[in-house]
Amino acid sequence: MQQPNRLKPFFENINFEREDNTMTVNFGPQHPSAHGQLRLVLELQGEEVVKSRPMIGYLHRGMEKMAENMIYNEFLPTTDRMDYIAATSNNYGYALAIEQLLGIEAPRRAEVIRTMLLELNRITSHLFWLATHALDVGAMSMFLYCFREREYAIDLIEDYCGARLTHSAVRIGGVPLDLPSNWIEDCMSFLEVLEKELETYEGLLTENRIWKMRLENVGIITPQMAKDWGCSGIALRGSGIKWDLRKEMPYGLYPELDFDVPVSYTNDSYGRYKICIQEMRESSKILKQLVPMYEESDTQLMAHAPNYISAPKEQIMTQNYSLMQHFVLVTQGMRPPVGEVYVATESPKGELGYFVCSDGSPYAYRMKIRTPSFQHTAILEELLVGLQLADVVTIIGNLNIVFGEIDR
């Protein structure tokens, strides 16, 4: 008796020849140039991309739901794990949102230290981006040079908080520590080295024929396209739109600081590269302005708000009421007023916003986080169409996406 061919229905549904002669391929999620767990489903006509579909969700960790099941102080270290290249920016944005919910302000010295850490973190993030982006395109030496300077900056952050990647260097209401001795001198020495090495980077890349061929007129994001997809940060300023939350919706000490917002009108990957270099120079300028502010400020590091913030350690160890209040805050958590806030800050990648809704309990009733990499991944659906397959790697690296803040 002849056995039935069980594979026949399967083969009957396969179309071996297609009139459009296109091929569908997966780029990622394991590809080293995907910069995280990104899966791009690309439809190719030869080497040309005719359709692009970004697929996310391979790293999903449910951070927003975790925030709703942790007391407010517990969640702060978890924010490090979103954009793990710019942990301090995540810490600061979250702390600032909760402080507005509580109606408190950090002391002057705490704000100075926070801003120093933010701008150092901006430099380390940009150096990481330039190193990996150049490596993707083929400039291998840049990876080593950028990581050399990045290690010096990370050493400064480690001297302050003891951590190199996930800092948790900010607290709701201020900062935990004052700057160690000789920290400012070390920081100024680093800035001198950085400013000199930035010229070296430009000498290697800016007029490099291959670098310009790979980046110029590649990844064109028009101003209207940037607005339609909700771009921010360098991706927005690279399209000729001068928008930086530190200037347009100032927070912290930024209204007192003198710095420029670099803009490019070429709309391409090359213009975004030049903005990145200039932004590191502006961060260096900001850090130098913060030194006299630090020296003129008093020594208070945490806001005085007994209902929400623990007293200094000396009082906890010597005063019974401060000890009891500290015990309640640690075990039960603070109870913010009923209300909701949305606070946006300018992270190294763009607008990082925290929406917090409080019902008066020690847990956030709702927590939603607006991260820049999410929009910059979505735009790949339109941005890649019509380009060559080799340009896909260039554009993904140039947009500087990190999947920790996409698959929250």
Side-chain angles (χ1 to χ4, degrees):
M1 180 177 178
Q2 187 177 5
Q3 294 293 325
N5 187 354
R6 296 178 180 177
L7 294 178
K8 186 175 181 181
F10 176 76
F11 285 115
E12 286 178 351
N13 295 326
I14 295 180
N15 185 8
F16 289 98
E17 295 185 7
R18 297 174 55 175
E19 294 181 0
D20 56 10
N21 198 30
T22 61
M23 177 174 60
T24 301
V25 300
N26 283 306
F27 182 97
Q30 79 293 337
H31 198 289
S33 295
H35 289 255
Q37 282 64 43
L38 168 65
R39 178 190 173 206
L40 274 178
V41 180
L42 301 175
E43 193 170 317
L44 303 177
Q45 181 83 42
E47 289 284 325
E48 182 183 342
V49 178
V50 295
K51 190 174 182 180
S52 169
R53 290 175 54 209
M55 310 288 285
I56 64 174
Y58 294 91
L59 193 67
H60 185 59
R61 292 171 289 175
M63 282 193 173
E64 293 165 337
K65 190 56 63 177
M66 288 168 62
E68 296 167 11
N69 289 274
M70 292 180 173
I71 62 176
Y72 288 94
N73 281 317
E74 273 184 321
F75 182 64
L76 192 141
T78 309
T79 61
D80 290 329
R81 278 77 182 171
M82 293 192 307
D83 181 1
Y84 35 79
I85 310 301
T88 296
S89 295
N90 303 337
N91 297 159
Y92 180 78
Y94 174 70
L96 194 62
I98 304 305
E99 287 165 8
Q100 287 201 17
L101 187 64
L102 299 175
I104 64 176
E105 291 185 4
R108 175 79 173 182
R109 175 160 288 198
E111 282 292 356
V112 173
I113 295 173
R114 284 174 163 189
T115 312
M116 285 179 168
L117 296 173
L118 283 172
E119 294 307 315
L120 266 179
N121 203 187
R122 191 179 308 277
I123 290 172
T124 62
S125 178
H126 283 2
L127 286 173
F128 186 93
W129 169 79
L130 182 58
T132 54
H133 180 33
L135 186 65
D136 288 343
V137 175
M140 297 182 66
S141 297
M142 282 303 302
F143 183 87
L144 302 175
Y145 297 153
C146 290
F147 262 66
R148 177 186 59 196
E149 272 66 67
R150 183 173 177 269
E151 285 298 302
Y152 294 144
I154 290 178
D155 285 344
L156 289 168
I157 296 175
E158 183 183 22
D159 287 344
Y160 175 73
C161 65
R164 299 179 68 83
L165 185 68
T166 51
H167 306 149
S168 297
V170 177
R171 297 289 184 272
I172 297 171
V175 292
L177 302 165
D178 203 350
L179 295 179
S181 59
N182 299 323
W183 192 91
I184 289 180
E185 290 79 1
D186 293 341
C187 183
M188 293 302 105
S189 299
F190 161 70
L191 295 179
E192 288 182 13
V193 173
L194 176 69
E195 290 168 2
K196 183 178 72 173
E197 294 303 328
L198 285 174
E199 297 178 3
T200 304
Y201 302 163
E202 289 182 306
L204 287 167
L205 293 180
T206 303
E207 296 301 325
N208 184 297
R209 180 167 56 93
I210 300 175
W211 182 253
K212 294 179 75 173
M213 288 172 61
R214 293 298 304 273
L215 269 68
E216 283 187 325
N217 298 317
V218 172
I220 298 290
I221 302 178
T222 64
Q224 188 59 48
M225 186 178 172
K227 293 177 183 178
D228 290 344
W229 286 95
C231 293
S232 57
I234 291 179
L236 182 64
R237 295 189 285 274
S239 299
I241 300 174
K242 194 172 184 178
W243 180 266
D244 188 313
L245 291 172
R246 296 173 296 172
K247 288 281 192 182
E248 305 301 329
M249 302 172 64
Y251 52 89
L253 296 178
Y254 287 110
E256 305 176 36
L257 298 169
D258 177 28
F259 64 98
D260 298 323
V261 178
V263 181
S264 172
Y265 297 94
T266 59
N267 303 343
D268 61 0
S269 298
Y270 187 72
R272 293 189 283 272
Y273 148 73
K274 296 183 78 172
I275 290 177
C276 174
I277 295 288
Q278 191 57 36
E279 282 198 359
M280 286 191 273
R281 290 195 171 99
E282 295 302 317
S283 291
S284 177
K285 185 195 301 184
I286 290 173
L287 283 163
K288 291 177 180 178
Q289 295 175 57
L290 290 169
V291 173
M293 293 184 181
Y294 174 80
E295 294 170 347
E296 295 166 3
S297 61
D298 59 25
T299 58
Q300 186 179 356
L301 298 176
M302 292 291 289
H304 179 71
N307 290 334
Y308 309 121
I309 309 296
S310 291
K313 187 174 181 179
E314 294 77 9
Q315 295 184 23
I316 294 174
M317 299 297 289
T318 58
Q319 299 178 12
N320 191 37
Y321 177 77
S322 296
L323 177 62
M324 291 189 295
Q325 171 242 356
H326 173 69
F327 178 80
V328 171
L329 287 174
V330 170
T331 56
Q332 300 180 20
M334 65 178 77
R335 294 177 179 269
V338 176
E340 58 185 43
V341 295
Y342 175 76
V343 175
T345 58
E346 187 72 27
S347 82
K349 294 175 176 60
E351 179 181 339
L352 174 64
Y354 287 86
F355 169 79
V356 186
C357 179
S358 169
D359 60 357
S361 71
Y363 307 90
Y365 178 73
R366 282 290 180 269
M367 170 80 73
K368 295 295 179 184
I369 309 170
R370 193 268 188 208
T371 58
S373 293
F374 187 86
Q375 276 73 20
H376 298 163
T377 301
I379 199 174
L380 295 174
E381 183 171 333
E382 179 180 352
L383 187 59
L384 299 181
V385 176
L387 298 177
Q388 299 297 302
L389 181 60
D391 295 330
V392 173
V393 175
T394 299
I395 292 170
I396 291 174
N398 190 263
L399 288 177
N400 195 16
I401 59 175
V402 164
F403 258 73
E405 66 174 21
I406 296 172
D407 292 338
R408 297 179 300 282

